[in-house]
Amino acid sequence: MIEKTSAGPITVFVTGAHTNFAVFLMKNPHLKRNIEHIYVMGGGVRSNNPTGCCPKHGTPHCHPRQCGDPGNLFTDYNTNPYAEFNIFGDPFAAYQVFHSGIPVTLVSLDATNTIPITEEFFKAFEQSQWTYEAQYCFKSLKMARDTWFDDRFYTSYFMWDSFTSGVAVSIMRNYGKNNGENEFAEMEYMNISVVTSNEPYGICDGSNPLFDGLHFPKFKLNKSGLHSGHVQMGLRDPFCFVENGNGKCKDGYTEEGTGPDSVRVLVATKAKPNHDLTSKLNREFFTNFLDVLNRPENTARFNLTTEFPHFRQAFYEPDFKNRTLGKPVVFDMDMSAGDFMAFFYLLKVPVELLNLKAILVSPTGWANAAAIDIVYDLLHMMGRDDIPVGLGDVFAMSQSDQIFHLVGDCKYAKAIPHGSGGFLDSDTLYGLARDLPRSPRRYTAENSVKFGAPRDTDQPELRQPLALEIWISILKTMDPGSKINILTNGPLTSLAKIITRTNSTSFIQNVYIVGGHISRSSLDEGNVFTIPSNKYAEFNLFLDPIAAKTVFKSGLNITLIPLGTQRKVSRFVETIKRLQLTRTPEARFVKSLLSRLYTLKQAHHRYRHTDIFFGEILGAILMAGDQRKLKPTMQEMPIKVIAEGTEAIDGQILIDEKHGKLVQILKNIDPMAYYDQFADRLGDEKQSAVLGSYDEQRKMWNTPPNRT
């Protein structure tokens, strides 16, 4: 932003939360003069939500939901019926943008509510896909329709951001006309402000981070001003919540007013009808949208299948017919960097020793659920497209909303940093995920009536299986009398769900848990570095303490690989030196990942903790390594996990002779043997990658099949 804005006059479109732009404006006030105009999609001024209404001739049992509300928070209308999602995402940031002194045009719900996706438009779009971008956009829209939660898609899905873009471009073409004349929307100037807190003002109830606990308010705010009231805390904030009615809070409401705090904003109030009365498309913008999206000018050059003349999808599945498979193992990971290194190791262990049956992915840890595609890519690289992958719950236990379970709280997940080794870094595997070959298996939104969806999508067989479904399917493939070993390298959410939702603990032989911290003194602290008040917890148990407590109380045979032991084998340099002598593609990839972690740790204080990831390999090596060389030392101890809902102590482990459950604790291991076994296993030519990298895959796609 600084570079582009400094270069000269510029126009800004804001079609999401205002955080980034507001921070830019507050840190660079001298650059405001170069911003000519701001176009904002969001907010609702005089809007009336047309969704959630009862039919005119409906049954007496129909209860309207957000019908007539100014906002569109369909997950939260019992608490806040006034806000729109984009503004609600960061109301104080939006306030800064609207009050920046820069001219603002708002394309609000007032207008977008009048341009729902009609069935006629959908059909016209389906027949007008002449460019790659048109094809992509239609596929996205179709998936949204096919996965819609009820049968009212055509009356409740609107043209939000695309309509904003059309209105903005049309106004810019008519530059010089002060009233915002354009082809697609009726406009009106209004005096509005953004509500950032709720009356009474000047209170200190622990909800407002701009004031509470501070001697001086942030940003020199007035202690009794408009920003000093109650700030909505969560979906069911008791201050705001009204059962079976509209909530009281207005955080994020673009409220019309006449007071000194209001600013003059040009607001789109209604989508214009199609001037062609013979057209089946009832809005002028519909016609323009399809026309622009299908123009040959500035069109995309290719998609994946046309970029590569010999593109083909291949599934790699090994043949183990004449081999005796080892102990069955399920790997439960949260997709941190350490988990992927452990994953490589498990795939390299001879199948006669370890039979990796399934991967369970827990999005309650160090990466977002979308990083599951990296899991698929790694399996493809190693020739194991036969291994199923199950997606776990997005929220920790007791964190999903009781009324609308698809949303919830991030009480523990908020401890994961964005960047600094957490989200973004893990989601891209520190930028190295692109180096992996692309698997034909991907996460998709495809769904099936068989699994509770309202309708089948085009390819229901591509639906992403859930962790519990994969677990149940694995049990059906087990030989009579055999049992499964589980290795967990993240929060214990999925395992706790297996314990509480299925009657299958008798099928579990051993559980190896990488995580937890057994503190020996006040100086022996854990690793939850983002929560200073919690000194003795370890991330994997902290991120879902209720799940951890459930697992440790289950009576399963548990071996714990605690943080203290992991720290004894977290020397990057030792492993990097050993991997330099190896030649397999997987060893090269892991060496690149370790080298990047080590470089970041040396260069940036925000990455000082990255050595914790290398210790996460220890569980895999303990489970499948050479015990004679590793020389593990075990101790049985009665432990319990704290899960009281208190951030400062949740996830901590106590030694409790009276109420604790006996668990095997790994105390020590030979570090040099650990480094040797990891490097030797990855460097072994057996069970090596069948497709070494994305570059190798690209070469294959550029070569006729008979020449590869």
Side-chain angles (χ1 to χ4, degrees):
M1 281 296 295
I2 294 175
E3 177 186 351
K4 296 300 181 183
T5 307
S6 299
I10 195 169
T11 297
V12 176
F13 287 22
V14 184
T15 59
H18 291 218
T19 309
N20 292 335
F21 189 46
V23 170
F24 164 77
L25 292 175
M26 296 172 76
K27 287 187 174 182
N28 303 278
H30 62 288
L31 292 177
K32 289 182 181 179
R33 64 179 182 271
N34 284 356
I35 302 175
E36 293 185 330
H37 207 97
I38 303 170
Y39 291 93
V40 174
M41 189 277 125
V45 186
R46 302 170 186 167
S47 54
N48 292 290
N49 198 323
T51 66
C53 300
C54 294
K56 291 182 179 180
H57 304 290
T59 67
H61 302 293
C62 177
H63 299 286
R65 299 188 299 274
Q66 65 270 34
C67 181
D69 292 348
N72 69 350
L73 300 184
F74 64 92
T75 59
D76 197 29
Y77 59 90
N78 291 110
T79 304
N80 186 333
Y82 298 94
E84 179 273 338
F85 274 104
N86 288 349
I87 308 298
F88 180 73
D90 194 339
F92 187 74
Y95 181 93
Q96 299 304 315
V97 171
F98 278 87
H99 289 77
S100 64
I102 303 169
V104 174
T105 293
L106 177 66
V107 181
S108 66
L109 296 179
D110 303 57
T112 59
N113 283 345
T114 65
I115 186 166
I117 298 293
T118 64
E119 190 168 2
E120 291 77 14
F121 171 76
F122 186 90
K123 291 178 179 178
F125 197 176
E126 190 171 26
Q127 297 167 4
S128 303
Q129 301 178 61
W130 313 122
T131 61
Y132 293 128
E133 53 270 28
Q135 294 165 16
Y136 179 84
C137 289
F138 179 75
K139 284 182 179 179
S140 300
L141 181 63
K142 188 176 188 303
M143 185 60 75
R145 187 200 66 171
D146 292 349
T147 56
W148 202 246
F149 58 89
D150 62 18
D151 58 357
R152 301 180 185 178
F153 174 81
Y154 293 118
T155 59
S156 54
Y157 194 93
F158 304 92
M159 277 199 141
W160 292 288
D161 299 339
S162 54
F163 185 60
T164 300
S165 300
V167 171
V169 170
S170 182
I171 291 175
M172 292 166 72
R173 284 176 175 167
N174 291 315
Y175 182 74
K177 297 183 179 180
N178 296 328
N179 294 322
E181 285 88 346
N182 68 91
E183 305 163 76
F184 310 121
E186 297 176 7
M187 311 297 293
E188 180 180 344
Y189 278 103
M190 301 182 190
N191 293 321
I192 65 173
S193 186
V194 179
V195 177
T196 62
S197 71
N198 301 277
E199 297 185 60
Y201 300 129
I203 63 172
C204 293
D205 62 359
S207 70
N208 196 325
L210 300 177
F211 293 86
D212 294 333
L214 303 175
H215 292 294
F216 301 99
K218 293 182 179 180
F219 310 117
K220 300 180 181 180
L221 297 174
N222 186 332
K223 289 186 177 181
S224 300
L226 297 171
H227 306 297
S228 66
H230 178 89
V231 172
Q232 183 178 337
M233 300 179 66
L235 291 171
R236 311 297 166 213
D237 183 344
F239 181 93
C240 313
F241 184 75
V242 176
E243 190 170 358
N244 298 322
N246 287 344
K248 297 186 295 184
C249 281
K250 295 184 176 182
D251 305 60
Y253 181 29
T254 45
E255 187 171 28
E256 190 172 10
T258 57
D261 194 59
S262 298
V263 292
R264 191 168 185 254
V265 172
L266 183 62
V267 180
T269 60
K270 185 179 180 180
K272 289 182 178 179
N274 195 336
H275 70 273
D276 182 0
L277 299 180
T278 64
S279 173
K280 293 182 178 180
L281 305 180
N282 64 351
R283 294 290 181 263
E284 185 69 23
F285 181 66
F286 285 154
T287 303
N288 179 265
F289 177 82
L290 296 180
D291 173 59
V292 172
L293 205 60
N294 283 288
R295 287 177 185 171
E297 297 87 5
N298 300 318
T299 188
R301 292 186 298 159
F302 44 70
N303 61 17
L304 191 63
T305 58
T306 56
E307 180 182 7
F308 301 104
H310 302 285
F311 174 82
R312 54 197 179 277
Q313 291 187 335
F315 287 84
Y316 300 116
E317 300 183 1
D319 183 3
F320 295 145
K321 289 180 181 179
N322 298 320
R323 301 170 73 175
T324 302
L325 302 181
K327 60 182 178 183
V329 171
V330 169
F331 183 36
D332 184 356
M333 61 189 294
D334 69 353
M335 301 180 290
S336 70
D339 290 0
F340 281 106
M341 288 186 277
F343 192 8
F344 271 116
Y345 181 88
L346 292 172
L347 290 168
K348 292 288 293 183
V349 175
V351 294
E352 290 84 359
L353 299 177
L354 186 150
N355 177 20
L356 190 56
K357 300 283 288 184
I359 307 298
L360 306 183
V361 168
S362 293
T364 51
W366 281 84
N368 286 296
I372 195 172
D373 280 351
I374 305 178
V375 177
Y376 284 130
D377 290 344
L378 194 153
L379 286 169
H380 190 60
M381 171 184 180
M382 298 301 293
R384 294 304 306 270
D385 289 327
D386 59 307
I387 296 178
V389 181
L391 182 62
D393 290 349
V394 175
F395 296 105
M397 292 186 75
S398 298
Q399 292 295 291
S400 61
D401 186 65
Q402 296 300 308
I403 298 175
F404 196 87
H405 73 278
L406 296 179
V407 294
D409 201 352
C410 299
K411 179 175 182 177
Y412 301 106
K414 69 182 181 183
I416 302 297
H418 288 257
S420 304
F423 298 126
L424 302 180
D425 286 333
S426 294
D427 296 333
T428 62
L429 208 47
Y430 295 80
L432 295 174
R434 285 292 186 101
D435 294 345
L436 295 169
R438 192 178 191 275
S439 171
R441 292 194 293 174
R442 319 298 294 169
Y443 172 82
T444 74
E446 300 283 354
N447 216 332
S448 169
V449 172
K450 179 182 177 181
F451 293 96
R455 66 194 66 82
D456 281 346
T457 54
D458 285 349
Q459 295 179 288
E461 70 279 3
L462 297 182
R463 172 186 173 273
Q464 171 60 53
L466 302 180
L468 202 60
E469 295 164 3
I470 291 296
W471 173 258
I472 293 172
S473 68
I474 290 299
L475 292 181
K476 295 177 180 178
T477 68
M478 298 294 293
D479 295 329
S482 61
K483 294 189 175 184
I484 298 175
N485 297 274
I486 300 176
L487 171 62
T488 69
N489 263 46
L492 300 178
T493 313
S494 295
L495 180 53
K497 193 169 184 178
I498 287 171
I499 293 169
T500 57
R501 298 285 185 89
T502 69
N503 185 26
S504 60
T505 53
S506 61
F507 293 94
I508 301 174
Q509 184 169 8
N510 293 300
V511 178
Y512 296 80
I513 296 176
V514 177
H517 179 54
I518 301 174
S519 179
R520 298 299 181 183
S521 70
S522 60
L523 298 178
D524 186 11
E525 297 185 354
N527 67 354
V528 187
F529 59 90
T530 54
I531 308 292
S533 63
N534 193 323
K535 293 184 177 182
Y536 303 107
E538 180 274 338
F539 263 112
N540 285 346
L541 269 59
F542 173 81
L543 289 168
D544 196 338
I546 295 177
K549 185 175 182 178
T550 301
V551 170
F552 280 98
K553 290 178 64 178
S554 66
L556 291 169
N557 296 322
I558 294 175
T559 297
L560 183 70
I561 299 93
L563 180 62
T565 311
Q566 295 175 48
R567 284 171 170 163
K568 297 175 182 178
V569 290
S570 57
R571 295 174 62 182
F572 286 115
V573 176
E574 291 293 340
T575 305
I576 292 172
K577 286 193 301 185
R578 287 163 171 79
L579 288 174
Q580 285 174 343
L581 303 175
T582 60
R583 302 190 186 283
T584 62
E586 56 271 20
R588 288 198 302 269
F589 184 89
V590 170
K591 182 171 72 70
S592 296
L593 178 57
L594 278 174
S595 298
R596 185 155 297 181
L597 291 173
Y598 179 67
T599 301
L600 288 168
K601 179 179 172 62
Q602 298 296 107
H604 302 284
H605 74 279
R606 290 184 177 180
Y607 289 87
R608 64 190 182 278
H609 60 278
T610 52
D611 52 356
I612 67 176
F613 299 125
F614 189 53
E616 291 186 307
I617 308 169
L618 186 50
I621 294 180
L622 178 67
M623 172 185 277
D626 188 333
Q627 302 294 309
R628 294 172 301 171
K629 294 180 180 179
L630 293 171
K631 301 174 185 177
T633 303
M634 311 297 295
Q635 181 180 355
E636 191 173 62
M637 301 176 70
I639 69 172
K640 73 174 185 180
V641 179
I642 299 177
E644 298 180 0
T646 304
E647 189 178 75
I649 59 174
D650 278 350
Q652 294 182 15
I653 288 179
L654 298 179
I655 307 300
D656 190 331
E657 298 287 348
K658 186 176 182 180
H659 300 106
K661 296 294 182 180
L662 289 176
V663 171
Q664 290 290 326
I665 310 290
L666 177 65
K667 303 289 291 182
N668 286 295
I669 201 167
D670 187 323
M672 293 303 114
Y674 170 83
Y675 301 132
D676 286 339
Q677 290 203 28
F678 181 68
D680 290 347
R681 184 65 73 194
L682 262 66
D684 192 342
E685 297 291 341
K686 296 177 182 178
Q687 292 183 199
S688 187
V690 299
L691 197 58
S693 66
Y694 181 62
D695 282 343
E696 187 177 322
Q697 189 177 47
R698 289 177 61 194
K699 292 176 182 176
M700 181 184 75
W701 288 341
N702 280 308
T703 307
N706 57 355
R707 295 184 186 177
T708 56

